[in-house]
């Protein structure tokens, strides 16, 4: 199963197209921009408590048959935070000092 490649940052709603180098994802593919992941969330996913990694680029060009942005298009469904900003900040503060591998 391919990544959904969600179109925006859940926190600030910035566009994160498939070739963006700023997209960060957790293991459930909760998606944020690099600035929010680092400076707002401190590497704590507000939905699951896990950490983030850089979302890889999906090639626009079909370098191998059947695999490209055209063949597996990105999701168009924008996702918004489902928790309030104060809740998210408290959640991050509780978890941020625990290394991701110990969460
Ligand atoms: Zn953002
Ligand atoms: Zn998550």
């Amino acid at each position: 199963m391919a990544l959904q490649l969600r179109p925006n940052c859940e926190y600030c709603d910035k566009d994160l197209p498939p070739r963006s180098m700023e997209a960060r994802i957790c293991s459930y593919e909760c998606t944020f921009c690099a600035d929010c992941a680092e400076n707002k969330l401190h590497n704590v996913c507000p939905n699951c408590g896990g950490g983030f990694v850089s979302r890889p680029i999906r090639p626009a060009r079909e370098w191998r048959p059947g695999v490209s942005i055209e063949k597996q298009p990105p999701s168009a469904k924008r996702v918004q935070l489902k928790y309030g900003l104060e809740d998210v900040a408290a959640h991050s503060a509780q978890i941020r000092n625990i290394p991701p591998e110990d969460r």
Side-chain angles (χ1 to χ4, degrees):
M1 203 174 80
L3 291 175
Q4 294 173 24
L5 302 178
R6 298 177 188 174
N8 67 308
C9 172
E10 277 191 37
Y11 195 104
C12 73
D13 201 36
K14 180 178 188 151
D15 287 341
L16 296 169
R19 67 189 313 154
S20 172
M21 297 299 292
E22 288 184 71
R24 301 288 181 269
I25 57 172
C26 80
S27 75
Y28 295 98
E29 211 184 333
C30 308
T31 303
F32 298 89
C33 72
D35 183 51
C36 289
E38 288 157 26
N39 301 315
K40 300 282 200 271
L41 301 169
H42 305 278
N43 200 35
V44 178
C45 175
N47 301 315
C48 71
F52 297 112
V53 296
S54 293
R55 188 180 70 189
I57 298 305
R58 181 169 301 165
R61 184 172 154 188
E62 199 174 351
W63 296 99
R64 295 284 196 185
V67 282
S68 69
I69 277 293
E70 191 181 333
K71 300 293 179 177
Q72 291 84 29
S75 167
K77 191 181 168 195
R78 300 183 82 84
V79 179
Q80 316 296 340
L81 271 186
K82 52 180 170 285
Y83 303 101
L85 296 187
E86 284 185 20
D87 181 301
V88 167
H91 181 257
S92 174
Q94 182 188 359
I95 299 171
R96 73 179 60 157
N97 292 323
I98 305 168
E101 62 269 32
D102 293 332
R103 291 175 195 169

XYZ file of all heavy atoms in Angstrom:
809
model
N 0.847 -1.198 0.000
C 0.000 0.000 0.000
C 0.884 1.250 0.000
O 1.821 1.342 0.771
C -0.896 -0.014 1.243
C -2.148 0.811 1.079
S -3.265 0.652 2.490
C -2.513 1.770 3.655
N 0.557 2.188 -0.825
C 1.349 3.420 -0.945
C 0.916 4.441 0.093
O -0.207 4.419 0.588
C 1.175 4.009 -2.346
N 1.816 5.352 0.422
C 1.446 6.489 1.259
C 0.332 7.289 0.585
O 0.295 7.396 -0.641
C 2.650 7.409 1.476
C 3.798 6.884 2.336
C 4.942 7.895 2.334
C 3.357 6.598 3.754
N -0.531 7.882 1.418
C -1.621 8.700 0.857
C -1.105 10.000 0.264
O -1.723 10.551 -0.633
C -2.628 9.046 1.961
C -3.381 7.866 2.507
C -4.237 8.253 3.718
O -4.618 9.401 3.901
N -4.519 7.274 4.548
N 0.015 10.495 0.795
C 0.545 11.815 0.403
C -0.523 12.889 0.625
O -1.042 13.501 -0.320
C 1.037 11.818 -1.048
C 2.127 10.803 -1.394
C 2.477 10.886 -2.878
C 3.374 10.985 -0.541
N -0.853 13.099 1.892
C -1.885 14.088 2.244
C -1.432 15.499 1.842
O -0.243 15.796 1.863
C -2.178 14.010 3.743
C -2.734 12.646 4.128
C -2.965 12.532 5.605
N -3.319 11.161 5.958
C -3.476 10.724 7.211
N -3.314 11.547 8.229
N -3.788 9.475 7.439
N -2.409 16.337 1.467
C -2.082 17.589 0.776
C -1.699 18.779 1.642
O -1.330 19.823 1.105
C -3.380 17.905 0.021
C -4.455 17.310 0.878
C -3.849 16.062 1.477
N -1.811 18.642 2.987
C -1.598 19.846 3.798
C -1.074 19.495 5.182
O -1.149 18.348 5.630
C -2.921 20.610 3.948
C -3.935 19.837 4.786
O -4.207 18.661 4.504
N -4.478 20.458 5.799
N -0.572 20.545 5.844
C -0.166 20.434 7.250
C -1.421 20.477 8.110
O -2.223 21.398 7.981
C 0.770 21.582 7.618
S 1.154 21.677 9.390
N -1.576 19.490 8.996
C -2.748 19.461 9.876
C -2.776 20.649 10.820
O -3.836 21.021 11.309
C -2.737 18.191 10.746
C -3.275 16.969 10.084
C -3.486 15.817 11.069
O -3.885 16.052 12.215
O -3.220 14.678 10.669
N -1.614 21.204 11.104
C -1.549 22.267 12.120
C -1.806 23.640 11.498
O -2.653 24.379 11.952
C -0.180 22.229 12.800
C -0.088 23.008 14.082
C -0.098 22.363 15.315
C 0.028 24.395 14.074
C -0.005 23.068 16.510
C 0.120 25.112 15.259
C 0.100 24.448 16.467
O 0.191 25.150 17.632
N -1.061 23.989 10.439
C -1.166 25.360 9.891
C -1.820 25.405 8.513
O -1.983 26.475 7.944
C 0.216 26.001 9.830
S 1.281 25.336 8.520
N -2.186 24.241 7.977
C -2.878 24.115 6.690
C -2.008 24.483 5.483
O -2.516 24.665 4.374
C -4.170 24.944 6.676
C -5.148 24.448 5.615
O -5.216 23.220 5.391
O -5.832 25.286 4.986
N -0.721 24.595 5.677
C 0.167 24.858 4.535
C 0.064 23.710 3.515
O -0.027 22.544 3.896
C 1.601 24.957 5.054
C 2.632 25.225 3.980
C 4.030 25.369 4.573
C 4.970 25.820 3.466
N 6.088 26.604 3.962
N 0.106 24.063 2.244
C 0.101 23.042 1.195
C 1.408 22.247 1.220
O 2.494 22.828 1.325
C -0.045 23.695 -0.184
C -1.459 24.211 -0.434
O -2.390 23.773 0.270
O -1.620 25.042 -1.339
N 1.289 20.933 1.119
C 2.457 20.055 1.078
C 2.324 19.099 -0.106
O 1.910 17.946 0.052
C 2.575 19.269 2.397
C 2.826 20.112 3.650
C 2.654 19.252 4.903
C 4.205 20.751 3.621
N 2.631 19.596 -1.301
C 2.503 18.750 -2.495
C 3.485 17.577 -2.459
O 4.421 17.573 -1.657
C 2.817 19.717 -3.642
C 3.565 20.847 -3.026
C 3.108 20.950 -1.608
N 3.254 16.581 -3.314
C 4.057 15.351 -3.261
C 5.565 15.575 -3.366
O 6.344 14.773 -2.877
C 3.554 14.547 -4.462
C 2.180 15.043 -4.693
C 2.187 16.499 -4.303
N 5.975 16.678 -4.014
C 7.417 16.907 -4.155
C 7.965 17.840 -3.081
O 9.139 18.212 -3.117
C 7.729 17.445 -5.541
C 7.181 18.835 -5.807
C 7.348 19.217 -7.265
N 8.703 18.922 -7.726
C 9.040 18.666 -8.986
N 8.115 18.674 -9.914
N 10.270 18.418 -9.314
N 7.135 18.212 -2.098
C 7.610 19.099 -1.032
C 8.674 18.409 -0.188
O 8.511 17.252 0.215
C 6.439 19.503 -0.131
O 6.940 20.215 0.993
N 9.741 19.130 0.102
C 10.779 18.622 0.997
C 10.462 18.982 2.449
O 11.212 18.655 3.352
C 12.148 19.199 0.609
C 12.622 18.806 -0.786
S 12.816 17.019 -0.984
C 14.225 16.743 0.108
N 9.356 19.691 2.669
C 8.997 20.151 4.017
C 8.024 19.222 4.726
O 7.715 19.427 5.903
C 8.310 21.518 3.927
C 9.204 22.668 3.586
C 8.386 23.944 3.632
O 8.016 24.360 4.731
O 8.092 24.486 2.555
N 7.487 18.224 4.029
C 6.468 17.365 4.646
C 7.102 16.414 5.656
O 8.148 15.816 5.394
C 5.731 16.578 3.567
N 6.453 16.287 6.815
C 6.880 15.344 7.845
C 5.697 14.443 8.150
O 4.558 14.913 8.221
C 7.313 16.066 9.123
C 8.474 17.054 8.913
C 9.790 16.326 8.657
N 10.896 17.254 8.474
C 11.292 17.744 7.290
N 10.650 17.407 6.178
N 12.319 18.564 7.220
N 5.964 13.162 8.383
C 4.884 12.218 8.688
C 5.240 11.360 9.893
O 6.415 11.092 10.168
C 4.571 11.284 7.484
C 5.823 10.513 7.036
C 3.965 12.071 6.329
C 5.534 9.436 5.975
N 4.183 10.909 10.603
C 4.368 9.916 11.660
C 4.083 8.543 11.055
O 3.814 8.417 9.869
C 3.443 10.217 12.844
S 1.757 9.646 12.577
N 4.116 7.507 11.885
C 3.940 6.152 11.348
C 2.530 5.923 10.815
O 2.299 4.983 10.044
C 4.280 5.102 12.407
O 3.260 5.007 13.369
N 1.564 6.758 11.226
C 0.191 6.654 10.711
C -0.044 7.621 9.559
O -1.157 7.788 9.099
C -0.819 6.939 11.827
C -0.757 5.900 12.924
C -0.032 6.146 14.087
C -1.384 4.666 12.781
C 0.053 5.201 15.094
C -1.306 3.715 13.777
C -0.591 3.987 14.935
O -0.509 3.042 15.926
N 0.986 8.285 9.166
C 0.943 9.286 8.104
C 0.176 10.542 8.492
O -0.324 11.267 7.633
C 0.453 8.731 6.751
C 1.093 9.483 5.581
C 0.591 9.073 4.200
O 0.138 7.927 4.018
O 0.665 9.921 3.299
N 0.088 10.849 9.785
C -0.328 12.186 10.192
C 0.741 13.102 9.611
O 1.935 12.818 9.719
C -0.355 12.326 11.710
S -1.310 11.028 12.534
N 0.315 14.206 8.963
C 1.216 14.990 8.123
C 1.295 16.445 8.560
O 0.256 17.091 8.775
C 0.727 14.897 6.657
O 0.671 13.505 6.289
C 1.649 15.639 5.700
N 2.513 16.942 8.696
C 2.757 18.314 9.147
C 3.894 18.913 8.342
O 4.712 18.190 7.774
C 3.101 18.320 10.643
C 1.987 17.792 11.501
C 1.907 16.436 11.787
C 0.992 18.631 11.962
C 0.838 15.933 12.533
C -0.076 18.141 12.708
C -0.144 16.793 12.992
N 3.962 20.255 8.326
C 5.118 20.884 7.712
C 6.295 20.813 8.696
O 6.108 20.594 9.900
C 4.807 22.324 7.313
S 4.661 23.477 8.688
N 7.498 20.997 8.190
C 8.693 20.868 9.022
C 8.678 21.874 10.163
O 9.043 21.555 11.302
C 9.939 21.052 8.161
N 8.231 23.101 9.870
C 8.214 24.143 10.895
C 7.289 23.761 12.051
O 7.672 23.860 13.222
C 7.776 25.477 10.272
C 7.808 26.602 11.292
O 8.836 26.778 11.957
O 6.783 27.295 11.432
N 6.084 23.308 11.760
C 5.155 22.902 12.823
C 5.674 21.658 13.553
O 5.591 21.587 14.779
C 3.764 22.640 12.256
S 2.922 24.145 11.728
N 6.193 20.680 12.816
C 6.691 19.454 13.447
C 7.793 19.767 14.447
O 7.850 19.185 15.535
C 7.191 18.477 12.385
N 8.658 20.712 14.089
C 9.790 21.041 14.959
C 9.407 22.047 16.038
O 9.671 21.841 17.227
C 10.948 21.598 14.117
C 11.628 20.528 13.278
C 12.371 21.095 12.068
O 12.786 22.271 12.126
O 12.504 20.359 11.077
N 8.812 23.178 15.618
C 8.649 24.313 16.526
C 7.321 24.362 17.267
O 7.226 24.976 18.324
C 8.862 25.611 15.750
C 10.251 25.651 15.127
O 11.240 25.324 15.779
N 10.322 26.014 13.852
N 6.299 23.731 16.726
C 5.009 23.699 17.412
C 4.799 22.368 18.149
O 4.247 22.330 19.237
C 3.866 23.895 16.415
C 3.908 25.218 15.657
C 3.398 26.340 16.520
C 2.965 27.542 15.709
N 4.049 28.479 15.464
N 5.243 21.292 17.533
C 4.948 19.958 18.078
C 6.157 19.305 18.754
O 6.007 18.338 19.485
C 4.448 19.048 16.945
C 3.189 19.562 16.250
C 2.900 18.765 14.982
C 1.993 19.495 17.187
N 7.342 19.835 18.491
C 8.579 19.310 19.101
C 8.708 17.798 18.900
O 9.003 17.041 19.833
C 8.633 19.697 20.580
C 8.497 21.176 20.790
N 9.558 22.054 20.663
C 7.409 21.939 21.046
C 9.119 23.293 20.870
N 7.828 23.245 21.090
N 8.445 17.384 17.666
C 8.578 15.981 17.267
C 7.666 15.027 18.042
O 8.001 13.862 18.256
C 10.042 15.523 17.343
C 10.305 14.291 16.500
O 9.717 14.118 15.424
N 11.157 13.396 16.973
N 6.494 15.533 18.456
C 5.465 14.686 19.065
C 4.210 14.781 18.196
O 3.603 15.854 18.093
C 5.112 15.139 20.497
C 4.011 14.262 21.081
C 6.356 15.132 21.383
N 3.814 13.669 17.590
C 2.577 13.700 16.806
C 1.400 13.912 17.754
O 1.238 13.161 18.720
C 2.403 12.406 16.021
S 0.813 12.366 15.155
N 0.552 14.928 17.499
C -0.560 15.211 18.413
C -1.642 14.141 18.393
O -2.471 14.081 19.289
C -1.120 16.541 17.897
C -0.710 16.606 16.481
C 0.596 15.864 16.373
N -1.621 13.296 17.391
C -2.650 12.266 17.268
C -2.238 10.940 17.879
O -3.074 10.196 18.392
C -3.004 12.053 15.788
C -3.511 13.329 15.153
O -4.331 14.025 15.722
N -2.993 13.650 13.979
N -0.948 10.610 17.811
C -0.524 9.286 18.296
C 0.627 9.336 19.294
O 0.912 8.330 19.941
C -0.159 8.383 17.113
S 1.376 8.847 16.279
N 1.311 10.459 19.438
C 2.421 10.545 20.383
C 3.756 10.065 19.843
O 4.764 10.127 20.534
N 3.771 9.591 18.605
C 5.019 9.150 17.990
C 5.804 10.323 17.418
O 5.390 11.474 17.522
N 6.939 10.015 16.812
C 7.779 11.046 16.203
C 7.540 11.150 14.706
O 6.680 10.464 14.143
N 8.325 12.041 14.095
C 8.174 12.303 12.657
C 9.435 11.965 11.881
O 10.545 12.008 12.426
C 7.872 13.786 12.418
C 6.585 14.242 13.030
C 6.594 15.129 14.095
C 5.366 13.795 12.547
C 5.411 15.563 14.679
C 4.170 14.221 13.113
C 4.207 15.107 14.181
N 9.241 11.680 10.601
C 10.347 11.581 9.647
C 9.968 12.381 8.407
O 8.798 12.725 8.204
C 10.653 10.117 9.220
C 11.128 9.302 10.416
C 9.450 9.470 8.570
N 10.960 12.676 7.575
C 10.701 13.363 6.309
C 9.910 12.450 5.385
O 10.243 11.274 5.250
C 12.017 13.714 5.617
O 12.718 14.667 6.360
N 8.865 12.992 4.769
C 8.102 12.205 3.795
C 8.877 12.137 2.490
O 9.264 13.176 1.952
C 6.733 12.850 3.566
C 5.795 11.993 2.717
C 4.458 12.677 2.526
N 4.591 13.840 1.648
C 3.605 14.725 1.446
N 2.450 14.588 2.054
N 3.786 15.744 0.627
N 9.099 10.959 1.969
C 9.859 10.850 0.716
C 9.077 11.417 -0.467
O 7.850 11.469 -0.457
C 10.044 9.343 0.533
C 9.635 8.712 1.812
C 8.683 9.652 2.482
N 9.827 11.825 -1.455
C 9.242 12.301 -2.707
C 8.712 11.124 -3.524
O 9.368 10.090 -3.607
C 10.338 13.016 -3.540
C 10.873 14.232 -2.795
C 9.820 13.416 -4.925
C 9.825 15.202 -2.375
N 7.517 11.285 -4.088
C 7.047 10.306 -5.079
C 7.350 10.881 -6.447
O 6.897 11.980 -6.779
C 5.552 10.038 -4.931
C 5.045 8.986 -5.943
C 3.638 8.515 -5.619
N 3.602 7.931 -4.284
C 2.490 7.696 -3.593
N 1.319 7.949 -4.135
N 2.543 7.201 -2.376
N 8.077 10.164 -7.250
C 8.512 10.729 -8.532
C 7.342 11.120 -9.435
O 6.349 10.408 -9.520
C 9.321 9.603 -9.171
C 9.734 8.732 -8.046
C 8.634 8.822 -7.028
N 7.494 12.256 -10.096
C 6.515 12.701 -11.077
C 6.629 11.856 -12.346
O 5.652 11.617 -13.046
C 6.743 14.174 -11.406
N 7.831 11.416 -12.611
C 8.105 10.677 -13.834
C 8.062 9.166 -13.570
O 8.469 8.697 -12.514
C 9.500 11.075 -14.311
C 9.893 10.468 -15.625
C 11.206 11.079 -16.110
N 11.892 10.151 -16.986
C 13.122 10.336 -17.433
N 13.819 11.401 -17.060
N 13.676 9.447 -18.225
N 7.571 8.430 -14.549
C 7.439 6.978 -14.411
C 8.777 6.304 -14.746
O 8.975 5.786 -15.854
C 6.313 6.489 -15.330
C 5.770 5.131 -14.975
C 4.556 4.754 -15.822
O 4.040 5.612 -16.569
O 4.145 3.577 -15.758
N 9.687 6.326 -13.781
C 11.018 5.746 -13.984
C 10.945 4.229 -14.130
O 11.771 3.615 -14.798
C 11.937 6.092 -12.814
C 12.212 7.557 -12.671
C 11.605 8.423 -11.824
C 13.172 8.330 -13.406
N 12.120 9.683 -11.985
C 13.081 9.652 -12.941
C 14.102 8.021 -14.412
C 13.874 10.680 -13.439
C 14.894 9.037 -14.905
C 14.778 10.346 -14.423
N 9.952 3.637 -13.459
C 9.666 2.204 -13.571
C 8.189 2.074 -13.908
O 7.374 2.886 -13.427
C 9.955 1.471 -12.263
C 11.414 1.448 -11.845
C 12.218 0.452 -12.655
N 13.498 0.175 -12.003
C 14.430 -0.599 -12.557
N 14.219 -1.163 -13.742
N 15.576 -0.805 -11.926
N 7.814 1.065 -14.679
C 6.413 0.947 -15.104
C 5.442 0.912 -13.919
O 5.639 0.130 -12.983
C 6.379 -0.381 -15.867
C 7.789 -0.625 -16.289
C 8.658 -0.004 -15.222
N 4.426 1.752 -13.966
C 3.334 1.688 -13.005
C 3.532 2.442 -11.709
O 2.637 2.425 -10.855
N 4.679 3.066 -11.516
C 4.895 3.793 -10.260
C 5.318 5.227 -10.506
O 6.430 5.511 -10.933
C 5.923 3.071 -9.335
C 5.262 1.908 -8.632
C 7.140 2.598 -10.103
N 4.400 6.146 -10.207
C 4.660 7.583 -10.344
C 3.472 8.328 -9.738
O 2.462 7.720 -9.388
C 4.799 7.972 -11.816
O 3.533 7.847 -12.460
N 3.586 9.635 -9.644
C 2.477 10.474 -9.173
C 1.230 10.269 -10.028
O 0.111 10.270 -9.538
C 2.905 11.966 -9.216
C 3.696 12.291 -7.963
C 1.725 12.905 -9.343
C 2.875 12.230 -6.691
N 1.430 10.085 -11.310
C 0.284 9.888 -12.199
C -0.414 8.559 -11.915
O -1.637 8.468 -11.928
C 0.764 9.935 -13.652
C -0.356 10.009 -14.655
C 0.177 10.018 -16.086
O 1.328 10.470 -16.299
O -0.548 9.544 -16.965
N 0.367 7.524 -11.640
C -0.212 6.184 -11.430
C -0.814 6.035 -10.038
O -1.791 5.329 -9.848
C 0.856 5.110 -11.660
C 1.447 5.111 -13.056
C 0.407 4.706 -14.091
C 1.032 4.755 -15.485
N 0.086 4.296 -16.519
N -0.201 6.650 -9.040
C -0.739 6.634 -7.667
C -0.846 8.087 -7.207
O 0.035 8.602 -6.510
C 0.179 5.856 -6.708
C 0.227 4.348 -6.942
C 1.217 3.971 -8.032
O 2.211 4.673 -8.232
N 0.945 2.880 -8.731
N -1.923 8.766 -7.588
C -2.045 10.196 -7.282
C -2.144 10.452 -5.781
O -2.610 9.590 -5.034
C -3.343 10.595 -7.975
C -3.754 9.454 -8.819
C -3.072 8.237 -8.306
N -1.719 11.647 -5.354
C -1.801 11.999 -3.936
C -3.244 12.193 -3.494
O -4.128 12.471 -4.300
C -1.039 13.321 -3.868
C -1.127 13.888 -5.237
C -1.146 12.712 -6.172
N -3.479 12.052 -2.195
C -4.787 12.330 -1.615
C -5.134 13.807 -1.805
O -4.264 14.669 -1.737
C -4.760 12.004 -0.120
O -5.899 12.537 0.514
N -6.421 14.090 -2.046
C -6.880 15.475 -2.147
C -7.613 15.893 -0.874
O -8.061 17.031 -0.748
C -7.814 15.634 -3.342
N -7.732 14.971 0.077
C -8.535 15.231 1.279
C -7.715 15.947 2.340
O -6.812 15.374 2.951
C -9.046 13.890 1.840
C -10.090 14.050 2.898
C -10.535 12.702 3.442
C -11.365 12.922 4.701
N -11.542 11.681 5.469
N -8.036 17.215 2.541
C -7.315 18.008 3.544
C -7.703 17.551 4.937
O -8.847 17.214 5.193
C -7.595 19.506 3.350
C -7.168 20.014 1.988
C -7.374 21.505 1.825
N -6.292 22.276 2.411
C -5.152 22.542 1.787
N -4.937 22.102 0.567
N -4.206 23.248 2.388
N -6.714 17.522 5.820
C -6.918 17.041 7.190
C -6.609 18.177 8.154
O -5.615 18.895 7.968
C -6.005 15.830 7.474
C -6.194 15.329 8.896
C -6.266 14.713 6.467
N -7.452 18.363 9.142
C -7.239 19.403 10.157
C -7.046 18.746 11.513
O -7.562 17.663 11.756
C -8.459 20.342 10.240
C -9.037 20.778 8.902
C -8.096 21.615 8.081
O -7.145 22.192 8.608
N -8.327 21.663 6.775
N -6.339 19.426 12.391
C -6.167 18.953 13.765
C -7.520 18.650 14.379
O -8.461 19.432 14.233
C -5.509 20.039 14.621
C -3.997 20.127 14.718
C -3.658 21.200 15.753
C -3.367 18.802 15.096
N -7.608 17.533 15.121
C -8.880 17.260 15.781
C -8.824 17.573 17.276
O -9.763 17.310 18.014
C -9.343 15.833 15.528
C -8.362 14.736 15.811
C -9.017 13.382 15.483
C -8.042 12.240 15.494
N -7.184 12.257 14.295
N -7.706 18.164 17.726
C -7.580 18.601 19.117
C -7.292 20.097 19.131
O -6.715 20.637 18.186
C -6.448 17.850 19.812
C -6.603 16.341 19.767
C -5.878 15.575 18.848
C -7.488 15.690 20.622
C -6.039 14.197 18.796
C -7.650 14.302 20.568
C -6.916 13.569 19.647
O -7.077 12.209 19.588
N -7.656 20.746 20.203
C -7.390 22.175 20.337
C -5.908 22.443 20.541
O -5.154 21.552 20.951
N -5.491 23.678 20.269
C -4.071 24.022 20.356
C -3.520 23.861 21.775
O -2.378 23.434 21.961
C -3.838 25.444 19.847
C -4.141 25.677 18.365
C -3.704 27.074 17.947
C -3.480 24.614 17.492
N -4.318 24.192 22.791
C -3.847 24.021 24.172
C -3.676 22.552 24.514
O -2.707 22.163 25.175
C -4.828 24.672 25.156
C -4.708 26.180 25.190
C -5.610 26.810 26.253
O -6.015 26.097 27.192
O -5.900 28.000 26.121
N -4.591 21.747 24.088
C -4.504 20.296 24.289
C -3.253 19.736 23.603
O -2.501 18.949 24.184
C -5.779 19.658 23.728
C -5.823 18.148 23.900
O -4.902 17.469 23.387
O -6.763 17.641 24.526
N -3.020 20.192 22.383
C -1.859 19.724 21.623
C -0.557 20.133 22.312
O 0.381 19.335 22.420
C -1.915 20.272 20.178
C -0.597 20.074 19.445
C -3.054 19.599 19.414
N -0.511 21.363 22.817
C 0.699 21.846 23.492
C 0.962 21.039 24.767
O 2.106 20.652 25.056
C 0.563 23.331 23.816
N -0.089 20.735 25.521
C 0.071 19.961 26.756
C 0.521 18.530 26.451
O 1.384 17.966 27.132
C -1.247 19.953 27.535
N -0.058 17.964 25.420
C 0.305 16.609 24.982
C 1.772 16.555 24.592
O 2.509 15.654 24.996
C -0.607 16.257 23.796
C -0.416 14.908 23.207
N 0.262 14.700 22.021
C -0.827 13.688 23.617
C 0.242 13.413 21.735
N -0.401 12.774 22.675
N 2.218 17.545 23.830
C 3.617 17.596 23.411
C 4.542 17.758 24.616
O 5.566 17.075 24.729
C 3.831 18.748 22.428
O 5.208 18.890 22.139
N 4.156 18.650 25.548
C 5.005 18.906 26.719
C 5.174 17.650 27.570
O 6.232 17.409 28.151
C 4.407 20.035 27.550
N 4.130 16.842 27.603
C 4.161 15.618 28.397
C 5.096 14.568 27.784
O 5.701 13.773 28.501
C 2.728 15.069 28.464
C 2.560 13.814 29.296
C 1.154 13.230 29.157
O 0.300 13.774 28.451
N 0.917 12.122 29.827
N 5.226 14.590 26.474
C 5.890 13.485 25.771
C 7.232 13.861 25.154
O 8.093 13.011 24.944
C 4.928 12.949 24.662
C 3.644 12.422 25.311
C 5.587 11.872 23.802
C 2.549 12.074 24.329
N 7.472 15.131 24.882
C 8.590 15.535 24.035
C 9.967 15.095 24.525
O 10.871 14.911 23.720
C 8.578 17.041 23.808
C 8.989 17.864 25.001
C 8.983 19.345 24.685
N 7.663 19.816 24.271
C 7.255 21.083 24.366
N 8.052 22.006 24.865
N 6.060 21.424 23.986
N 10.130 14.956 25.840
C 11.454 14.588 26.340
C 11.695 13.079 26.390
O 12.775 12.637 26.758
C 11.671 15.203 27.725
C 11.767 16.722 27.639
O 12.340 17.257 26.680
N 11.187 17.418 28.592
N 10.691 12.316 26.014
C 10.860 10.870 25.917
C 11.319 10.546 24.494
O 10.640 10.923 23.536
C 9.527 10.137 26.212
C 8.965 10.565 27.573
C 9.701 8.632 26.120
C 7.532 10.116 27.810
N 12.450 9.901 24.316
C 12.897 9.593 22.944
C 11.835 8.765 22.212
O 11.185 7.927 22.842
C 14.174 8.770 23.147
C 14.598 9.032 24.556
C 13.356 9.366 25.329
N 11.659 9.009 20.918
C 10.609 8.290 20.171
C 10.662 6.781 20.362
O 9.618 6.132 20.465
C 10.877 8.690 18.716
C 11.485 10.044 18.817
C 12.325 10.013 20.082
N 11.887 6.225 20.455
C 11.973 4.764 20.570
C 11.520 4.256 21.937
O 11.323 3.059 22.113
C 13.394 4.276 20.250
C 14.464 4.797 21.206
C 15.101 6.096 20.731
O 14.422 6.930 20.072
O 16.294 6.285 21.027
N 11.355 5.152 22.904
C 10.872 4.745 24.246
C 9.420 5.123 24.491
O 8.897 4.930 25.587
C 11.754 5.384 25.328
C 13.170 4.823 25.316
O 13.344 3.662 24.900
O 14.094 5.553 25.708
N 8.757 5.712 23.490
C 7.353 6.100 23.687
C 6.501 4.875 23.590
O 5.470 4.726 23.361
C 6.948 7.175 22.677
C 7.641 8.503 22.952
C 7.331 9.511 21.880
N 8.262 10.646 21.957
C 8.379 11.587 21.040
N 7.609 11.565 19.962
N 9.278 12.550 21.178
Zn 2.470 23.548 9.468
Zn 0.558 10.197 14.425
